[in-house]
């Protein structure tokens, strides 16, 4: 039997051009165990991805701020505090960096994302003042509640599914995957992962992005068939 999975999206299920690798649309619906999509993206993105992949809606969104297991939704982060940090940051003359419409934060409920080309120092200082913290996912700076993480999310998912977190295999590429790697039984970082993710992972594979992730899943399936 194959183990349950925890998969990050950006840099893990995507190709270098940020598109989802279409091979997952054949691979994941046939995975005979739960597949959890764990991401820093706003809640609607992983829910939509599950829909189009045609897999059950098992989601950890906004770096653990929201957990969805089928019809059960848990919100862990303080979105109001994160928005106060964003307002103070803009009031100090900085920008979130996404333009007037800001589709990155439009549907975000428990945190705020800031483009990585914006100043990090003042953002971190303001976050601390409001009891928040900043995590760098490699794609954005995320202002979120202290202690909220993907790892906390997978513990919640596992409990709701009646599973032990150590049954899960996780694949990721970023600092925000470190907490996940710390609670699952088996963890992999793809070759494009940042140094924190590589140090935390049980194994770092040679292949990058989605190709690395698919190679991991194929190896797991072969091992499970033996």
């Amino acid at each position: 039997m194959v183990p349950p999975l925890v998969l990050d999206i950006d840099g893990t299920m995507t190709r270098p051009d940020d598109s989802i690798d279409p091979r997952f649309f054949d691979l994941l619906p046939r995975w005979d165990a739960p597949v959890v999509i764990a991401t820093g993206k706003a809640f609607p993105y992983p829910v939509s991805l599950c829909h189009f992949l045609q897999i059950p809606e098992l989601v950890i969104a906004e770096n653990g701020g929201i957990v969805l297991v089928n019809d059960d939704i848990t919100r862990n982060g303080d979105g109001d505090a994160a928005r106060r940090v964003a307002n103070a940051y803009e009031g100090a003359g900085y920008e979130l960096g996404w333009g007037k419409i800001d589709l990155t934060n439009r549907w975000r409920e428990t945190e705020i994302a800031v483009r990585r080309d914006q100043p990090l120092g003042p953002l971190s200082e303001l976050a601390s003042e409001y009891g928040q913290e900043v995590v760098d996912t490699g794609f954005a700076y995320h202002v979120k509640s202290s202690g909220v993480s993907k790892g906390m999310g997978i513990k919640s998912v596992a409990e709701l599914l009646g599973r032990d977190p150590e049954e899960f295999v996780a694949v990721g590429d970023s600092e925000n995957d470190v907490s996940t790697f710390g609670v699952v039984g088996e963890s992999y970082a793809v070759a494009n992962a940042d140094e924190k993710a590589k140090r935390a992972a049980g194994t770092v594979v040679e292949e990058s992005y989605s190709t690395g992730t698919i190679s991991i899943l194929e190896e797991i399936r072969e091992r499970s068939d033996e």
Side-chain angles (χ1 to χ4, degrees):
M1 292 289 291
V2 293
L5 302 175
V6 187
L7 299 179
D8 172 56
I9 299 178
D10 291 309
T12 304
M13 295 180 68
T14 56
R15 298 177 290 193
D17 64 359
D18 291 340
S19 63
I20 294 289
D21 193 314
R23 290 177 288 179
F24 286 111
F25 289 87
D26 291 325
L27 178 59
L28 294 184
R30 295 186 289 109
W31 195 264
D32 192 23
V35 178
V36 181
I37 304 299
T39 180
K41 286 186 174 298
F43 187 39
Y45 288 90
V47 173
S48 297
L49 181 57
C50 289
H51 170 77
F52 289 114
L53 286 167
Q54 286 296 283
I55 61 175
E57 293 169 343
L58 304 176
V59 164
I60 300 168
E62 302 180 19
N63 295 298
I66 303 181
V67 175
L68 169 65
V69 178
N70 300 319
D71 294 328
D72 191 308
I73 297 178
T74 303
R75 289 174 177 82
N76 300 307
D78 185 351
D80 290 337
R83 283 184 284 273
R84 286 194 290 271
V85 173
N87 291 337
Y89 189 69
E90 291 178 314
Y94 304 106
E95 298 179 358
L96 303 186
W98 308 111
K100 184 177 180 180
I101 298 178
D102 190 2
L103 297 179
T104 298
N105 289 307
R106 185 178 183 88
W107 301 285
R108 201 172 289 271
E109 298 183 31
T110 64
E111 61 168 32
I112 291 292
V114 179
R115 277 181 65 105
R116 295 179 76 250
D117 57 3
Q118 303 303 305
L120 175 59
L123 182 66
S124 297
E125 291 178 9
L126 288 167
S128 180
E129 289 179 19
Y130 286 89
Q132 301 283 284
E133 64 183 11
V134 179
V135 61
D136 181 359
T137 65
F139 292 85
Y141 299 134
H142 295 252
V143 179
K144 65 180 187 64
S145 297
S146 299
V148 172
S149 68
K150 288 185 182 182
M152 184 181 71
I154 193 57
K155 288 181 180 180
S156 297
V157 172
E159 181 177 357
L160 289 167
L161 292 177
R163 297 267 191 164
D164 189 318
E166 292 194 358
E167 295 180 50
F168 287 77
V169 173
V171 188
D173 75 306
S174 183
E175 175 183 338
N176 65 339
D177 296 308
V178 170
S179 62
T180 302
F181 293 168
V183 301
V184 299
E186 197 171 341
S187 58
Y188 294 85
V190 287
N192 55 289
D194 64 29
E195 289 305 313
K196 290 184 178 180
K198 287 180 178 179
R199 288 196 299 269
T203 302
V204 180
V205 299
E206 295 182 358
E207 298 92 345
S208 298
Y209 294 95
S210 57
T211 297
T213 302
I214 288 171
S215 72
I216 294 163
L217 301 189
E218 289 175 345
E219 179 183 332
I220 291 171
R221 173 164 280 167
E222 290 175 5
R223 188 175 65 200
S224 301
D225 289 340
E226 291 177 355

